[in-house]
């Protein structure tokens, strides 16, 4: 008889009977009683009253009975914490049992019991188990550390368990190594503490690679995930890792294969762009991905979602494997729909095969699949110009089938083809018009109306066709109403004498009879345009329209790069970053960027993971991104940029008068500098530095005027040409004659001239804004480059950004509005009145002011860091160079053979930062101590010191 008998009893008084059996002297009867208790617990009965009786059963050598009792304890210990303490002695005793299975079982159970009182007793047994002679006990203890960290993170760090875990990475048993990696990864992902992070170096990587071949599937996945987060030192190391991971592509487990693909996809980013190694590796990636598509449907779907990302990043990987994306008749619908989302781009060589397959799919019975197939034909036409005519012919054949939803989807697609290839396929309009009466879906009706309005001069009865839609105007959807309004206005501008009555009728319906604000607004705009300046109306409504992009179905590049780092996880299936769907405790995300490449194609120093500290201070090369749609202040951004005046008046005159202080919204970062401590008001933000400094000109009288040649970072590409329809924007920031500038290089990589440039900034942490209009030589011809200098003010709207120095920019030209972001170097915001002695002329001793201010700031606000002195400059050389960037030395002294510089600087928003620089003669490093009330700015100030000194 099976154990199912334990789930069939429903006798009254059962608890009392079980209590008697649990206290029986017979081992078999006691074991049967515990099984009944576990069965009752499993079906939801409350058997917590038996807690002391079950705990008494722990004193046994029977492994099966001990497992059952431990299972009961894990379930009820939280509700009976005081009684659970009774079991502690037995746990401790079992952790020293001669049987390794019992030792492992005891430490695992103690880790699963989330009771603080028991946690205190767990430390010593866990420490012993981590050094146990049996690998099974060690691997169990490694996982237990992660569980304990989830309960009490501070305890784990204080007891040194993290160091013991790191030692297990060198264990001789591969499963112990795998579990140690799994535990450290779990801890790293959930803890922001630097001490909890998994330290990866070349030695550790070699140990993980050695253990990789002998682990179970789960162990391999954890190790591969850790490998994907490692930043190789150079090309050779990246190639070595890729070569040793490549055999995992032949594994039978789909999870291992996808994890290996993730490592290789990231590894290729650290190798030269077009090397023979990358080409060979891409060829090796194709067979395992094709094999995954032969798995069961569920695995096939997950593989397709990941392949979608891989193909977008590297289309060449599967360019010769088009056939594997062809669907089979018995595929589930979710696999069919995903297949044609993931397929590689059609090319001129395979377009005939693709179109034949898609045309066949369009005759299927599933409506959603048919619609997607018709859309795919349209995408092929837009992507492969040479095949556009064949695609249009295929769509006409489908229209001739007279299947309603096929016809409607085809018309929507043909509208996009007309937008891509204007004045090329208009001969088919008559065929489209024949199906006008069968259209009942808003998308199809709106598309047909757009076609009629756009080519009204070629359609003899265009007015009659549009008038037929006008009869049921109020019953149409908003989308159709808006399109109909625009189409009739276009028709009127092309045939004014014949359609005057029609345009009056639609304007009346839109403005007087409609409650829809969008429709009314558009109607009034057209009415005003037509009544005041018909020529201007013609220029606006009939203006040449930009061609639609062929990549509208692709993910935004920065999101794609982030998702590549999450291949083989839920994020790669959802096509969303973990932050979009993981709730509860915030994950410490460390895998969100692929390495940045320089113009030569070499990977940059900053990468995807825990940002290793560079050997020497180098200008930060961070990957720029389009302003995210879900992140900080997107609502404000759209409000600012869409309602902005893209041609602001110069602000020179405005800056001559004191501007009102910006409302900081209660942010400590941007208010509460040291001005109150120094006994005087701070200069008004946005005033020219020369007016705000030195007590109203006292510095000039004393001959203390300061000229600046501040450090200027090299230009970076802020907006790549593919993201801006051919416009490439590079830039940096500088200070000249105490005026801040954004220095831009604009390059036109498109085929058409560009003009009408304008620029605007979103709210930012320091109120940075353009001080004049953007002056670009117009037109900017194809292939032409223009260097532009934009003066900046600091009296714009303020909003704390993340990261702090992030600046979101909108740039407009005659083609479109483009968005990008860049990082402001903080030394751009240092002011010339940052020398504390000038900030308080009334003090008897300037040094006492500095000292008193330093002491007044809490010690907890002091941050110390070792920074490089690569040129081993003397104190005077360092002081002079820093002063050029408005970092002023207040005093200097020598202590125990070390020179000490005491310095101050001030930001444009009134924040003071005090510094102590300890310089050891002939040493390549020095110690920088910073104190300020605004701790947020300290990392940026530290970086400014490093950059300025490294570039002396």
């Amino acid at each position: 008889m099976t154990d199912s008998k334990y789930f069939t009893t429903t006798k009254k008084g059962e608890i009392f009977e079980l209590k008697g059996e649990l206290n029986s002297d017979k081992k078999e009867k006691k074991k049967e009683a515990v099984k009944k208790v576990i069965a009752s617990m499993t079906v939801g009965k409350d058997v917590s009253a038996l807690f002391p009786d079950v705990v008494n059963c722990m004193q046994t050598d029977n492994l099966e009975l001990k497992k059952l009792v431990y299972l009961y304890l894990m379930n009820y210990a939280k509700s009976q914490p005081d009684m659970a303490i009774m079991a502690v002695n037995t746990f401790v005793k079992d952790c020293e049992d001669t049987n390794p299975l019992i030792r492992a079982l005891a430490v695992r159970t103690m880790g699963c019991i989330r009771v603080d009182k028991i946690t205190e007793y767990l430390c010593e047994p866990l420490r012993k188990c981590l050094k146990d002679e049996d690998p099974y006990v060690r691997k169990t203890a490694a996982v237990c550390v992660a569980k304990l960290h989830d309960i009490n993170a501070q305890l784990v760090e204080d007891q040194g368990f993290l160091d013991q875990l790191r030692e297990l990475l060198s264990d001789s048993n591969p499963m112990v190594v795998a579990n140690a990696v799994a535990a450290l990864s779990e801890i790293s992902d959930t803890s922001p503490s630097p001490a909890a992070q998994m330290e990866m170096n070349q030695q550790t990587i070699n140990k993980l690679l050695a253990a990789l071949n002998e682990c179970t599937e789960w162990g391999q996945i954890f190790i591969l995930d850790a490998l994907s987060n490692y930043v190789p030192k150079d090309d050779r190391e990246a190639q070595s890792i890729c070569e040793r991971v490549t055999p995992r592509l032949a594994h039978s487990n789909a999870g291992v294969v996808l994890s290996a693909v993730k490592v290789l996809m990231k590894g290729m980013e650290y190798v030269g762009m077009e090397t023979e190694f990358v080409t060979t590796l891409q060829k090796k990636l194709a067979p395992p991905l094709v094999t995954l598509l032969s798995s069961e449907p569920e695995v096939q779907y997950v593989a397709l979602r990941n392949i979608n990302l891989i193909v977008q990043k590297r289309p060449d990987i599967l360019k010769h494997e088009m056939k594997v994306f062809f669907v089979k008749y018995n595929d589930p619908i979710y696999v069919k729909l995903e297949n044609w989302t993931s397929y590689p781009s059609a090319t001129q060589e395979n377009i005939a095969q693709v179109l034949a397959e898609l045309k066949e799919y369009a005759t299927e019975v599933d409506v959603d699949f048919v619609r997607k197939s018709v859309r795919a034909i349209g995408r092929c036409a837009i992507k492969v110009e040479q095949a556009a005519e064949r695609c249009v012919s295929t769509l006409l054949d489908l229209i001739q089938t007279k299947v309603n939803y096929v016809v409607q989807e085809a018309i929507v697609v043909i509208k996009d083809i007309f937008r891509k290839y204007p004045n090329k396929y208009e001969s088919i309009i008559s065929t489209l018009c024949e199906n006008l009466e069968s259209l009942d879906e808003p998308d199809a009706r709106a598309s047909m109306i757009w076609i009629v309005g756009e080519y009204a001069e070629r359609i003899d009865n265009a007015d009659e066709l549009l008038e037929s839609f006008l009869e049921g105007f109020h019953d149409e959807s908003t989308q159709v109403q808006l399109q109909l309004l625009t189409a009739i206005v276009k028709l009127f501008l092309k045939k004014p004498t014949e359609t005057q009555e029609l345009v009056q009728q639609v304007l009346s319906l839109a403005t007087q009879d409609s409650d829809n604000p969008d429709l009314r607004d558009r109607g009034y705009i057209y009415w005003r345009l037509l009544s005041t300046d018909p020529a201007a109306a013609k220029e606006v409504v009939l203006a040449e329209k930009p061609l639609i992009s062929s990549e509208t179905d692709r993910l935004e590049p920065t999101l794609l790069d982030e998702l590549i780092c999450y291949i083989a996880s839920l994020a790669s299936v959802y096509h969303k970053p973990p932050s979009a769907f993981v709730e509860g405790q915030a994950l410490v995300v460390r895998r969100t960027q692929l390495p940045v490449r320089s113009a030569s194609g070499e990977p940059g120093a900053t990468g995807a993971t825990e940002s290793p500290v560079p050997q020497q201070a180098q200008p930060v090369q961070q990957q720029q991104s389009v302003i995210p749609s879900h992140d900080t202040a997107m609502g404000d951004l759209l409000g600012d940029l869409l309602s902005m005046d893209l041609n602001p008046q110069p602000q020179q005159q405005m800056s001559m008068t004191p501007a009102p202080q910006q409302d900081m919204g209660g942010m400590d970062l941007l208010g509460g500098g040291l001005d109150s401590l120094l006994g005087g008001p701070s200069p008004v933000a946005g005033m020219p530095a020369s007016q705000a400094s030195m007590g109203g000109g006292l510095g000039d009288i004393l001959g203390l005027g300061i000229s600046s040649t501040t450090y200027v970072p090299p230009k970076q590409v802020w907006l790549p040409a593919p993201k801006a329809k051919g416009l490439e924007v590079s830039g940096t920031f500088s200070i000249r004659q105490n005026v801040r500038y954004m220095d831009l290089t604009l390059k036109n990589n498109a085929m058409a001239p560009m003009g009408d440039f304008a620029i605007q900034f979103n709210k930012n942490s320091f109120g940075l804004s353009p001080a004049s209009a953007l002056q670009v030589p117009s037109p900017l011809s194809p292939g032409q480059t223009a260097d532009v200098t934009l003066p900046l003010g600091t009296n714009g709207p303020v909003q704390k950004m993340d990261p702090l120095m992030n600046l979101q920019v909108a740039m407009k030209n005659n083609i479109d509005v483009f968005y990008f972001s860049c990082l402001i170097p903080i030394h751009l915001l240092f002011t010339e009145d940052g020398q504390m002695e000038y900030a308080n002329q009334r003090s008897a001793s300037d040094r006492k002011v500095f000292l008193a201010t330093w002491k007044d700031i809490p010690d907890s606000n002091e941050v110390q860091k070792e920074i490089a002195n690569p040129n081993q400059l003397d104190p005077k050389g360092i002081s002079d160079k820093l002063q050029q960037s408005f970092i002023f030395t207040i005093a200097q002294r020598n202590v125990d053979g070390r020179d000490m510089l005491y310095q101050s600087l001030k930001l444009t928003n009134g924040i003071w930062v005090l510094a102590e620089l300890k310089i050891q003669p002939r040493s390549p490093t020095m110690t920088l101590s910073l104190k300020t009330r605004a701790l947020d700015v300290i990392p940026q100030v530290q970086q400014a010191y490093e950059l300025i000194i490294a570039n002396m």
Side-chain angles (χ1 to χ4, degrees):
M1 189 173 180
T2 65
D3 287 344
S4 60
K5 63 182 179 181
Y6 299 113
F7 296 90
T8 57
T9 57
T10 54
K11 296 185 295 183
K12 291 184 178 180
E14 190 175 10
I15 297 293
F16 182 77
E17 286 185 17
L18 287 173
K19 194 178 186 72
E21 291 176 13
L22 288 170
N23 292 303
S24 172
D25 295 331
K26 297 180 180 178
K27 290 185 178 179
E28 281 302 316
K29 195 169 185 180
K30 188 179 290 190
K31 186 166 74 172
E32 290 295 308
V34 174
K35 285 185 178 182
K36 291 177 184 177
V37 171
I38 298 297
S40 300
M41 181 181 77
T42 304
V43 297
K45 291 182 182 177
D46 182 12
V47 286
S48 58
L50 298 172
F51 196 94
D53 304 290
V54 175
V55 168
N56 288 334
C57 297
M58 287 178 69
Q59 307 292 339
T60 178
D61 296 331
N62 188 299
L63 184 59
E64 183 183 5
L65 178 56
K66 195 174 283 288
K67 283 183 178 179
L68 292 170
V69 174
Y70 280 176
L71 184 63
Y72 177 90
L73 280 173
M74 282 190 282
N75 193 56
Y76 280 114
K78 200 166 186 178
S79 60
Q80 306 271 355
D82 294 329
M83 300 193 71
I85 296 296
M86 296 165 50
V88 166
N89 288 334
T90 307
F91 280 132
V92 174
K93 181 181 175 183
D94 285 351
C95 285
E96 298 177 356
D97 197 276
T98 55
N99 187 340
L101 294 177
I102 292 180
R103 295 201 299 273
L105 181 63
V107 75
R108 181 173 61 192
T109 306
M110 287 181 76
C112 293
I113 297 176
R114 303 178 66 86
V115 176
D116 291 336
K117 293 180 180 178
I118 287 187
T119 302
E120 298 171 9
Y121 295 96
L122 174 62
C123 294
E124 199 55 40
L126 179 57
R127 186 176 286 105
K128 290 180 181 178
C129 288
L130 285 168
K131 296 180 179 180
D132 198 279
E133 60 182 14
D134 192 280
Y136 180 75
V137 179
R138 294 199 301 275
K139 83 180 187 71
T140 305
V143 176
C144 187
V145 173
K147 294 180 182 293
L148 182 60
H149 186 274
D150 190 44
I151 301 169
N152 191 335
Q154 192 60 48
L155 179 67
V156 170
E157 294 181 21
D158 294 344
Q159 293 288 331
F161 288 133
L162 294 176
D163 294 329
Q164 285 190 269
L165 265 186
R166 295 187 184 102
E167 290 173 8
L168 290 182
L169 294 177
S170 305
D171 199 277
S172 58
N173 186 286
M175 278 312 302
V176 175
V177 175
N179 278 25
V181 170
L184 284 169
S185 299
E186 178 76 17
I187 291 169
S188 297
D189 283 346
T190 54
S191 173
S193 169
Q197 302 317 310
M198 187 173 176
E199 298 172 1
M200 303 285 281
N201 53 46
Q202 195 168 9
Q203 186 179 5
T204 306
I205 290 299
N206 287 330
K207 290 172 182 173
L208 296 186
L209 288 168
L212 186 60
N213 297 331
E214 302 177 46
C215 292
T216 63
E217 288 94 338
W218 282 111
Q220 291 183 39
I221 288 171
F222 280 121
I223 291 176
L224 288 168
D225 196 47
L227 290 172
S228 72
N229 292 332
Y230 176 65
V231 180
K233 292 181 179 178
D234 50 36
D235 287 8
R236 179 178 293 182
E237 187 181 8
Q239 289 187 26
S240 173
I241 292 172
C242 290
E243 286 169 356
R244 296 179 69 177
V245 168
T246 301
R248 298 300 96 205
L249 294 174
H251 202 282
S252 59
N253 185 286
V256 174
V257 173
L258 285 175
S259 294
V261 168
K262 173 171 61 178
V263 176
L264 297 177
M265 287 292 291
K266 294 185 72 174
M268 283 189 283
E269 296 297 321
Y270 294 101
V271 184
M273 290 290 285
E274 298 298 335
T275 63
E276 184 180 349
F277 177 80
V278 170
T279 305
T280 304
L281 203 55
Q282 288 187 160
K283 289 179 181 177
K284 290 181 180 179
L285 281 173
L289 293 175
V290 170
T291 303
L292 289 178
L293 296 180
S294 303
S295 309
E296 54 269 24
E298 293 80 4
V299 174
Q300 194 176 344
Y301 176 77
V302 172
L304 282 168
R305 294 295 284 175
N306 282 272
I307 287 172
N308 189 327
L309 302 174
I310 294 166
V311 167
Q312 288 189 49
K313 185 67 180 175
R314 293 186 178 270
D316 291 344
I317 290 178
L318 292 171
K319 67 179 179 181
H320 299 303
E321 305 291 345
M322 179 65 73
K323 283 189 176 180
V324 301
F325 293 96
F326 292 171
V327 302
K328 296 182 277 294
Y329 75 95
N330 59 346
D331 280 341
I333 185 59
Y334 58 87
V335 172
K336 286 183 177 180
L337 292 175
E338 190 57 37
N339 254 312
W340 282 101
T341 304
S342 306
Y343 79 98
S345 298
T347 62
Q348 194 172 356
E349 291 74 25
N350 62 21
I351 192 66
Q353 189 180 20
V354 171
L355 282 178
E357 192 75 14
L358 288 172
K359 189 174 180 181
E360 188 69 27
Y361 297 160
T363 61
E364 286 274 348
V365 293
D366 189 277
V367 176
D368 287 339
F369 183 53
V370 170
R371 288 181 182 277
K372 208 155 192 175
S373 302
V374 175
R375 276 183 231 137
I377 295 173
R379 281 211 308 273
C380 291
I382 291 170
K383 287 180 181 178
V384 186
E385 184 173 355
Q386 298 85 343
E389 190 167 346
R390 185 180 293 182
C391 294
V392 171
S393 175
T394 303
L395 289 169
L396 287 176
D397 291 342
L398 292 174
I399 289 175
Q400 297 303 329
T401 63
K402 301 297 181 182
V403 177
N404 187 263
Y405 55 85
V406 175
V407 171
Q408 303 200 80
E409 199 64 46
I411 286 175
V412 173
V413 164
I414 287 172
K415 183 253 304 183
D416 288 336
I417 294 175
F418 282 172
R419 292 177 62 196
K420 178 68 176 177
Y421 308 109
N423 304 315
K424 195 169 182 181
Y425 299 108
E426 286 70 30
S427 57
I428 68 171
I429 292 177
S430 58
T431 305
L432 302 180
C433 291
E434 293 172 5
N435 297 278
L436 204 60
E437 295 181 1
S438 65
L439 305 181
D440 54 17
E441 295 175 7
D443 281 347
R445 290 173 73 82
S447 297
M448 192 66 229
I449 291 169
W450 181 89
I451 292 171
V452 173
E454 190 69 15
Y455 300 100
E457 70 278 11
R458 304 187 188 187
I459 304 173
D460 295 335
N461 62 336
D463 53 341
E464 296 176 10
L465 295 175
L466 293 177
E467 192 172 6
S468 66
F469 285 102
L470 204 58
E471 292 171 1
F473 184 80
H474 292 301
D475 298 327
E476 300 283 3
S477 67
T478 302
Q479 177 185 1
V480 176
Q481 289 177 335
L482 289 167
Q483 198 59 257
L484 188 56
L485 172 61
T486 301
I488 291 176
V489 171
K490 286 180 182 177
L491 176 64
F492 171 73
L493 291 170
K494 293 174 180 178
K495 300 179 180 179
T497 56
E498 304 169 24
T499 56
Q500 187 170 356
E501 185 178 339
L502 186 63
V503 76
Q504 288 178 345
Q505 184 181 355
V506 75
L507 288 173
S508 175
L509 288 170
T511 57
Q512 297 177 19
D513 301 341
S514 174
D515 294 329
N516 187 308
D518 294 334
L519 184 62
R520 291 172 61 195
D521 288 350
R522 186 181 294 191
Y524 279 122
I525 289 172
Y526 285 152
W527 203 324
R528 289 287 177 87
L529 272 173
L530 293 172
S531 59
T532 56
D533 192 347
K538 201 164 189 175
E539 288 182 15
V540 171
V541 180
L542 301 181
E544 185 177 346
K545 299 164 189 65
L547 302 181
I548 64 171
S549 167
S550 60
E551 300 298 328
T552 52
D553 57 326
R554 298 307 188 201
L555 293 173
E556 194 272 319
T558 50
L559 175 60
L560 177 61
D561 284 352
E562 182 175 355
L563 293 178
I564 289 292
C565 300
Y566 288 103
I567 285 176
S569 70
L570 268 180
S572 66
V573 178
Y574 291 157
H575 286 190
K576 295 178 181 179
S579 57
F581 59 86
V582 176
E583 297 179 354
Q585 186 176 11
L587 290 178
V588 181
V589 179
R590 306 186 187 281
R591 303 178 289 181
T592 58
Q593 286 187 346
L594 293 177
V596 182
R597 294 191 173 276
S598 64
S600 63
E602 292 301 318
T606 58
T609 60
E610 294 134 282
S611 300
V613 179
Q615 297 289 328
Q616 293 183 354
Q618 297 291 336
V620 178
Q621 301 283 337
Q622 292 203 3
Q623 186 174 22
Q624 305 303 330
S625 64
V626 176
I627 297 168
S629 59
H630 59 275
D631 213 344
T632 308
M634 188 57 191
D636 291 340
L637 172 68
L638 290 176
D640 293 345
L641 298 185
L642 296 182
S643 63
M644 67 185 179
D645 176 8
L646 283 168
N647 293 285
Q649 294 300 316
Q651 298 179 3
Q652 286 85 346
Q653 184 175 1
M654 180 173 61
S655 65
M656 298 299 291
T657 58
Q661 287 281 25
Q662 295 293 334
D663 178 12
M664 303 302 179
M667 291 188 293
D668 293 338
L669 169 67
L670 299 177
L674 300 185
D675 301 273
S676 57
L677 295 173
L678 300 175
S682 64
V684 177
M687 287 180 65
S690 58
Q691 295 182 25
S693 66
M694 303 186 186
L698 183 58
D700 294 334
I701 295 171
L702 297 177
L704 295 172
I706 298 167
S707 63
S708 170
T709 53
T710 61
Y711 164 67
V712 179
K715 284 187 177 179
Q716 302 176 28
V717 176
W718 287 342
L719 183 63
K723 291 186 183 178
K725 301 182 180 178
L727 174 65
E728 180 180 290
V729 180
S730 304
T732 186
F733 295 90
S734 62
I735 300 179
R736 297 188 292 278
Q737 300 299 320
N738 299 333
V739 178
R740 293 163 182 83
Y741 292 97
M742 175 185 276
D743 298 323
L744 298 167
T745 297
L746 308 181
K747 184 177 181 181
N748 183 359
N749 292 323
M751 302 300 292
M754 297 181 179
D756 300 330
F757 282 89
I759 195 168
Q760 183 62 293
F761 298 169
N762 190 23
K763 298 175 184 176
N764 54 80
S765 302
F766 294 89
L768 212 61
S769 61
S772 68
L774 185 64
Q775 302 294 333
V776 181
S778 186
L780 189 64
S781 304
Q784 185 181 353
T785 299
D787 290 321
V788 184
T789 297
L790 179 69
L792 305 176
T794 55
N795 57 348
V798 173
Q799 174 172 292
K800 186 177 178 182
M801 302 298 289
D802 185 17
L804 182 70
M805 308 310 295
N806 195 33
L807 177 66
Q808 298 173 332
V809 183
M811 182 173 287
K812 179 184 90 68
N813 61 16
N814 60 323
I815 295 176
D816 205 345
V817 179
F818 307 106
Y819 303 100
F820 63 90
S821 63
C822 56
L823 295 177
I824 310 164
I826 197 168
H827 69 268
L828 182 80
L829 304 169
F830 297 169
T831 64
E832 65 174 281
D833 62 330
Q835 192 162 0
M836 187 159 283
E837 55 200 80
Y838 294 131
N840 194 340
Q841 289 291 332
R842 300 174 186 173
S843 299
S845 170
D846 302 325
R847 296 181 184 181
K848 287 182 179 179
V849 173
F850 180 93
L851 185 60
T853 306
W854 181 280
K855 290 180 177 179
D856 197 66
I857 301 174
D859 290 339
S860 59
N861 283 33
E862 181 177 355
V863 179
Q864 198 172 84
K865 183 181 181 182
E866 291 288 323
I867 64 173
N869 183 10
N871 302 318
Q872 297 185 20
L873 296 174
D874 60 7
K876 185 178 186 308
I878 292 173
S879 179
D880 292 345
K881 188 66 179 179
L882 290 173
Q883 182 160 321
Q884 292 177 2
S885 293
F886 301 139
I887 301 176
F888 299 95
T889 299
I890 305 300
Q892 178 180 346
R893 61 177 179 149
N894 189 285
V895 179
D896 297 331
R898 289 192 301 179
D899 290 296
M900 316 282 281
L901 298 182
Y902 299 94
Q903 300 174 319
S904 67
L905 63 92
K906 186 179 179 183
L907 299 177
T908 54
N909 58 2
I911 291 176
W912 283 88
V913 181
L914 307 185
E916 178 189 72
L917 197 58
K918 299 177 183 177
I919 306 167
Q920 185 76 35
R922 294 180 298 282
S923 172
T925 62
M926 45 192 171
T927 305
L928 174 66
S929 300
L930 296 178
K931 254 193 175 186
T932 178
R933 294 192 182 278
L935 288 172
D936 301 56
V937 303
I938 283 183
Q940 285 74 31
V941 175
Q942 289 172 337
Q943 188 182 75
Y945 265 87
E946 291 179 319
L947 289 173
I948 294 167
I949 292 171
N951 287 277
M952 287 181 176

